[in-house]
Amino acid sequence: MQHLESYKRDGYVLLRNAVDPRSVEAIKEDAKALFRKMFRKNWLDEHSGEQGFADALYQLFTVSYADFLGAARAAQHLISMHRFVVSEQISDLLHGLGLAMPIVCVKPIIYFNSRHLAKNEGHYKTPPHQDWRSMQGSLNSVVIWVPLVDIDVGLGAIEFIPGSHLTGLRLTEKDEWYRRIPESIAPASSFVPVEVRAGDLVAFSAFAVHRSGDNVTQAIRWSIHVRFNDAAEPNFVNRGMPHPYSVYQPSQELVTQNFPSLDQLHTTFT
Ligand SMILES: O=C(O)CCC(=O)C(=O)O
């Protein structure tokens, strides 16, 4: 299989028209519906079209960062996205890339990147890194990256260093995003952008060095990312199936004091 050959050689592969563009459009629409609840709450108008939505979202970010963040977090829990990332089609693809027993490493992520939705650069643009540094899972772990819109260089196409998955785990330094590979090890000139259309899919090795391009437009760069380990990979088994994402626990405090009233509760069930 030609895809497998280029995946093994480059550490990533672009699969054109791999998914139904309507299914990824539906995920984007679900995410937009969450933000629209916050537009209404904050009395914000939305003009028509993608740019109308983007402008309203940029306004929400300015007017109520808390509401923006609430909806942004809720978007990470969309059923449509979760259904998509664990679909038969994705698990078949992972088997095709050599994962005998794929398991989800960490919750999928939906990105809506724009410099207008960021308090620092790391919020809309990832620096050079290898996902394995955070995953520390199986050696054959794979990241599935799915654009929800057409993403060209202007919109910040994802960029890879071809073959970098074969040159080991790189040194990193802590930064405001998480940890970056310094320019001296991953020079800007070695990255190759991968332009995609909605319906395409990029699969990459967790060892592939990659980074985001620069979204220089006024538009939102929508994408979904999900990481998988192979529970059958012998080193993963021997290392005790590590999962270094340690903190995911409920707050000890109530988010909203004196809530709910009995009236509110009874209204819910009438
Ligand atoms: O979407 C991007 O540009 C980068 C994504 C990324 O770095 C990741 O999923 O690890």
Side-chain angles (χ1 to χ4, degrees):
M1 165 185 157
Q2 200 193 338
H3 290 144
L4 189 57
E5 266 172 45
S6 51
Y7 175 75
K8 287 187 172 174
R9 182 192 61 232
D10 298 332
Y12 63 92
V13 63
L14 165 61
L15 304 173
R16 290 273 183 217
N17 304 313
V19 298
D20 181 349
R22 285 170 307 183
S23 66
V24 294
E25 177 67 18
I27 298 171
K28 175 159 67 80
E29 285 306 314
D30 279 354
K32 285 163 99 176
L34 295 173
F35 287 119
R36 284 188 174 119
K37 304 244 177 251
M38 295 308 192
F39 295 170
R40 278 195 283 279
K41 181 183 167 197
N42 288 278
W43 305 96
L44 296 176
D45 286 333
E46 177 190 347
H47 296 294
S48 61
E50 284 295 316
Q51 197 55 51
F53 175 84
D55 291 339
L57 192 57
Y58 303 157
Q59 253 194 295
L60 176 66
F61 182 85
T62 310
V63 171
S64 175
Y65 183 61
D67 284 347
F68 166 79
L69 218 50
R73 289 197 177 120
Q76 310 307 323
H77 298 269
L78 287 171
I79 286 179
S80 50
M81 172 170 74
H82 284 253
R83 192 181 281 137
F84 172 74
V85 301
V86 294
S87 62
E88 200 80 23
Q89 186 187 12
I90 299 293
S91 74
D92 286 352
L93 176 71
L94 294 166
H95 284 121
L97 292 174
L99 279 67
M101 190 177 178
I103 57 169
V104 175
C105 170
V106 67
K107 288 185 299 186
I109 302 170
I110 180 167
Y111 269 29
F112 16 85
N113 285 6
S114 161
R115 64 185 65 232
H116 303 299
L117 302 174
K119 290 202 182 241
N120 64 52
E121 193 179 82
H123 287 170
Y124 78 98
K125 199 172 153 207
T126 64
H129 66 283
Q130 292 166 304
D131 283 19
W132 204 88
R133 180 64 183 71
S134 56
M135 295 165 66
Q136 300 184 50
S138 64
L139 290 181
N140 57 352
S141 49
V142 170
V143 183
I144 299 289
W145 185 96
V146 185
L148 306 184
V149 289
D150 299 352
I151 303 181
D152 61 9
V153 167
L155 198 58
I158 189 167
E159 301 179 359
F160 294 93
I161 301 183
S164 53
H165 62 309
L166 296 174
T167 51
L169 193 59
R170 307 294 170 84
L171 178 141
T172 56
E173 51 195 35
K174 195 170 186 307
D175 70 355
E176 63 183 4
W177 174 71
Y178 166 57
R179 300 191 70 87
R180 68 163 61 224
I181 301 174
E183 163 85 20
S184 55
I185 300 180
S189 59
S190 50
F191 285 89
V192 175
V194 177
E195 296 193 309
V196 290
R197 293 187 292 266
D200 295 346
L201 178 154
V202 179
F204 59 93
S205 156
F207 285 96
V209 177
H210 62 288
R211 66 175 189 179
S212 307
D214 203 3
N215 178 0
V216 295
T217 73
Q218 293 300 311
I220 299 173
R221 177 196 192 265
W222 294 86
S223 57
I224 287 175
H225 319 176
V226 57
R227 294 155 180 77
F228 294 93
N229 282 314
D230 180 1
E233 195 267 313
N235 291 286
F236 186 53
V237 177
N238 287 342
R239 294 170 57 240
M241 299 187 182
H243 182 75
Y245 292 78
S246 44
V247 183
Y248 180 57
Q249 59 190 26
S251 162
Q252 296 281 346
E253 308 302 326
L254 285 177
V255 172
T256 312
Q257 299 304 313
N258 306 315
F259 177 85
S261 68
L262 278 186
D263 267 2
Q264 286 168 317
L265 193 55
H266 288 180
T267 305
T268 303
F269 291 99
T270 49

PDB file of all heavy atoms in Angstrom, residues 253-268:
ATOM      1  N   GLU A 253     -14.646  22.447  44.947  1.00  0.00           N
ATOM      2  CA  GLU A 253     -15.523  23.597  45.202  1.00  0.00           C
ATOM      3  C   GLU A 253     -16.727  23.606  44.266  1.00  0.00           C
ATOM      4  O   GLU A 253     -16.642  23.131  43.143  1.00  0.00           O
ATOM      5  CB  GLU A 253     -14.735  24.910  44.963  1.00  0.00           C
ATOM      6  CG  GLU A 253     -13.424  25.001  45.701  1.00  0.00           C
ATOM      7  CD  GLU A 253     -13.593  24.865  47.213  1.00  0.00           C
ATOM      8  OE1 GLU A 253     -14.630  25.335  47.733  1.00  0.00           O
ATOM      9  OE2 GLU A 253     -12.708  24.276  47.854  1.00  0.00           O
ATOM     10  N   LEU A 254     -17.831  24.228  44.732  1.00  0.00           N
ATOM     11  CA  LEU A 254     -18.977  24.439  43.852  1.00  0.00           C
ATOM     12  C   LEU A 254     -18.657  25.599  42.912  1.00  0.00           C
ATOM     13  O   LEU A 254     -18.149  26.628  43.339  1.00  0.00           O
ATOM     14  CB  LEU A 254     -20.224  24.780  44.671  1.00  0.00           C
ATOM     15  CG  LEU A 254     -20.880  23.613  45.405  1.00  0.00           C
ATOM     16  CD1 LEU A 254     -22.058  24.113  46.234  1.00  0.00           C
ATOM     17  CD2 LEU A 254     -21.334  22.541  44.421  1.00  0.00           C
ATOM     18  N   VAL A 255     -18.946  25.411  41.627  1.00  0.00           N
ATOM     19  CA  VAL A 255     -18.680  26.459  40.641  1.00  0.00           C
ATOM     20  C   VAL A 255     -19.662  27.619  40.848  1.00  0.00           C
ATOM     21  O   VAL A 255     -19.295  28.793  40.777  1.00  0.00           O
ATOM     22  CB  VAL A 255     -18.825  25.878  39.213  1.00  0.00           C
ATOM     23  CG1 VAL A 255     -18.740  26.973  38.166  1.00  0.00           C
ATOM     24  CG2 VAL A 255     -17.771  24.803  38.959  1.00  0.00           C
ATOM     25  N   THR A 256     -20.943  27.300  41.103  1.00  0.00           N
ATOM     26  CA  THR A 256     -21.973  28.332  41.300  1.00  0.00           C
ATOM     27  C   THR A 256     -22.556  28.158  42.700  1.00  0.00           C
ATOM     28  O   THR A 256     -23.179  27.117  42.980  1.00  0.00           O
ATOM     29  CB  THR A 256     -23.096  28.174  40.242  1.00  0.00           C
ATOM     30  OG1 THR A 256     -22.492  28.042  38.951  1.00  0.00           O
ATOM     31  CG2 THR A 256     -24.047  29.354  40.259  1.00  0.00           C
ATOM     32  N   GLN A 257     -22.353  29.148  43.543  1.00  0.00           N
ATOM     33  CA  GLN A 257     -22.823  29.044  44.934  1.00  0.00           C
ATOM     34  C   GLN A 257     -24.348  29.066  44.996  1.00  0.00           C
ATOM     35  O   GLN A 257     -24.998  29.699  44.168  1.00  0.00           O
ATOM     36  CB  GLN A 257     -22.255  30.204  45.767  1.00  0.00           C
ATOM     37  CG  GLN A 257     -20.734  30.217  45.838  1.00  0.00           C
ATOM     38  CD  GLN A 257     -20.151  28.907  46.384  1.00  0.00           C
ATOM     39  OE1 GLN A 257     -20.606  28.387  47.404  1.00  0.00           O
ATOM     40  NE2 GLN A 257     -19.173  28.352  45.691  1.00  0.00           N
ATOM     41  N   ASN A 258     -24.900  28.396  46.001  1.00  0.00           N
ATOM     42  CA  ASN A 258     -26.349  28.390  46.261  1.00  0.00           C
ATOM     43  C   ASN A 258     -27.153  28.001  45.018  1.00  0.00           C
ATOM     44  O   ASN A 258     -28.183  28.607  44.721  1.00  0.00           O
ATOM     45  CB  ASN A 258     -26.823  29.759  46.764  1.00  0.00           C
ATOM     46  CG  ASN A 258     -26.024  30.195  47.970  1.00  0.00           C
ATOM     47  OD1 ASN A 258     -25.784  29.393  48.885  1.00  0.00           O
ATOM     48  ND2 ASN A 258     -25.571  31.433  47.966  1.00  0.00           N
ATOM     49  N   PHE A 259     -26.684  27.060  44.309  1.00  0.00           N
ATOM     50  CA  PHE A 259     -27.330  26.625  43.063  1.00  0.00           C
ATOM     51  C   PHE A 259     -27.408  25.115  43.080  1.00  0.00           C
ATOM     52  O   PHE A 259     -26.451  24.471  43.505  1.00  0.00           O
ATOM     53  CB  PHE A 259     -26.505  27.105  41.861  1.00  0.00           C
ATOM     54  CG  PHE A 259     -27.047  26.646  40.535  1.00  0.00           C
ATOM     55  CD1 PHE A 259     -28.044  27.358  39.905  1.00  0.00           C
ATOM     56  CD2 PHE A 259     -26.568  25.476  39.939  1.00  0.00           C
ATOM     57  CE1 PHE A 259     -28.551  26.927  38.686  1.00  0.00           C
ATOM     58  CE2 PHE A 259     -27.066  25.042  38.722  1.00  0.00           C
ATOM     59  CZ  PHE A 259     -28.067  25.779  38.102  1.00  0.00           C
ATOM     60  N   PRO A 260     -28.514  24.521  42.643  1.00  0.00           N
ATOM     61  CA  PRO A 260     -29.744  25.147  42.144  1.00  0.00           C
ATOM     62  C   PRO A 260     -30.756  25.361  43.262  1.00  0.00           C
ATOM     63  O   PRO A 260     -30.675  24.719  44.306  1.00  0.00           O
ATOM     64  CB  PRO A 260     -30.259  24.088  41.155  1.00  0.00           C
ATOM     65  CG  PRO A 260     -29.836  22.789  41.780  1.00  0.00           C
ATOM     66  CD  PRO A 260     -28.520  23.058  42.465  1.00  0.00           C
ATOM     67  N   SER A 261     -31.726  26.241  42.991  1.00  0.00           N
ATOM     68  CA  SER A 261     -32.853  26.351  43.924  1.00  0.00           C
ATOM     69  C   SER A 261     -33.785  25.173  43.650  1.00  0.00           C
ATOM     70  O   SER A 261     -33.713  24.549  42.579  1.00  0.00           O
ATOM     71  CB  SER A 261     -33.587  27.676  43.690  1.00  0.00           C
ATOM     72  OG  SER A 261     -34.218  27.630  42.417  1.00  0.00           O
ATOM     73  N   LEU A 262     -34.669  24.902  44.582  1.00  0.00           N
ATOM     74  CA  LEU A 262     -35.623  23.803  44.359  1.00  0.00           C
ATOM     75  C   LEU A 262     -36.511  24.109  43.165  1.00  0.00           C
ATOM     76  O   LEU A 262     -36.838  23.220  42.381  1.00  0.00           O
ATOM     77  CB  LEU A 262     -36.470  23.576  45.611  1.00  0.00           C
ATOM     78  CG  LEU A 262     -35.809  22.722  46.693  1.00  0.00           C
ATOM     79  CD1 LEU A 262     -36.792  22.452  47.828  1.00  0.00           C
ATOM     80  CD2 LEU A 262     -35.287  21.392  46.132  1.00  0.00           C
ATOM     81  N   ASP A 263     -36.877  25.393  43.003  1.00  0.00           N
ATOM     82  CA  ASP A 263     -37.716  25.790  41.864  1.00  0.00           C
ATOM     83  C   ASP A 263     -37.035  25.440  40.543  1.00  0.00           C
ATOM     84  O   ASP A 263     -37.649  24.883  39.640  1.00  0.00           O
ATOM     85  CB  ASP A 263     -37.938  27.313  41.884  1.00  0.00           C
ATOM     86  CG  ASP A 263     -39.206  27.667  42.628  1.00  0.00           C
ATOM     87  OD1 ASP A 263     -39.856  26.734  43.142  1.00  0.00           O
ATOM     88  OD2 ASP A 263     -39.505  28.872  42.698  1.00  0.00           O
ATOM     89  N   GLN A 264     -35.753  25.790  40.449  1.00  0.00           N
ATOM     90  CA  GLN A 264     -35.007  25.506  39.205  1.00  0.00           C
ATOM     91  C   GLN A 264     -34.968  24.010  38.934  1.00  0.00           C
ATOM     92  O   GLN A 264     -35.124  23.550  37.810  1.00  0.00           O
ATOM     93  CB  GLN A 264     -33.572  26.057  39.312  1.00  0.00           C
ATOM     94  CG  GLN A 264     -33.507  27.569  39.192  1.00  0.00           C
ATOM     95  CD  GLN A 264     -32.146  28.108  39.596  1.00  0.00           C
ATOM     96  OE1 GLN A 264     -31.564  27.682  40.600  1.00  0.00           O
ATOM     97  NE2 GLN A 264     -31.637  29.064  38.838  1.00  0.00           N
ATOM     98  N   LEU A 265     -34.799  23.269  39.991  1.00  0.00           N
ATOM     99  CA  LEU A 265     -34.710  21.815  39.840  1.00  0.00           C
ATOM    100  C   LEU A 265     -36.056  21.237  39.407  1.00  0.00           C
ATOM    101  O   LEU A 265     -36.119  20.427  38.468  1.00  0.00           O
ATOM    102  CB  LEU A 265     -34.258  21.212  41.173  1.00  0.00           C
ATOM    103  CG  LEU A 265     -33.821  19.776  41.163  1.00  0.00           C
ATOM    104  CD1 LEU A 265     -32.714  19.530  40.152  1.00  0.00           C
ATOM    105  CD2 LEU A 265     -33.338  19.366  42.539  1.00  0.00           C
ATOM    106  N   HIS A 266     -37.115  21.715  40.067  1.00  0.00           N
ATOM    107  CA  HIS A 266     -38.446  21.179  39.734  1.00  0.00           C
ATOM    108  C   HIS A 266     -38.848  21.564  38.305  1.00  0.00           C
ATOM    109  O   HIS A 266     -39.448  20.767  37.595  1.00  0.00           O
ATOM    110  CB  HIS A 266     -39.475  21.674  40.749  1.00  0.00           C
ATOM    111  CG  HIS A 266     -39.290  21.011  42.094  1.00  0.00           C
ATOM    112  ND1 HIS A 266     -40.076  21.279  43.192  1.00  0.00           N
ATOM    113  CD2 HIS A 266     -38.392  20.095  42.519  1.00  0.00           C
ATOM    114  CE1 HIS A 266     -39.661  20.550  44.226  1.00  0.00           C
ATOM    115  NE2 HIS A 266     -38.633  19.826  43.831  1.00  0.00           N
ATOM    116  N   THR A 267     -38.470  22.767  37.878  1.00  0.00           N
ATOM    117  CA  THR A 267     -38.786  23.207  36.513  1.00  0.00           C
ATOM    118  C   THR A 267     -38.149  22.268  35.484  1.00  0.00           C
ATOM    119  O   THR A 267     -38.731  21.958  34.448  1.00  0.00           O
ATOM    120  CB  THR A 267     -38.269  24.649  36.274  1.00  0.00           C
ATOM    121  OG1 THR A 267     -38.819  25.479  37.297  1.00  0.00           O
ATOM    122  CG2 THR A 267     -38.641  25.170  34.919  1.00  0.00           C
ATOM    123  N   THR A 268     -36.961  21.805  35.823  1.00  0.00           N
ATOM    124  CA  THR A 268     -36.242  20.898  34.911  1.00  0.00           C
ATOM    125  C   THR A 268     -37.048  19.606  34.659  1.00  0.00           C
ATOM    126  O   THR A 268     -36.977  19.032  33.580  1.00  0.00           O
ATOM    127  CB  THR A 268     -34.868  20.532  35.524  1.00  0.00           C
ATOM    128  OG1 THR A 268     -34.170  21.736  35.762  1.00  0.00           O
ATOM    129  CG2 THR A 268     -34.049  19.638  34.614  1.00  0.00           C
TER     130      THR A 268
END
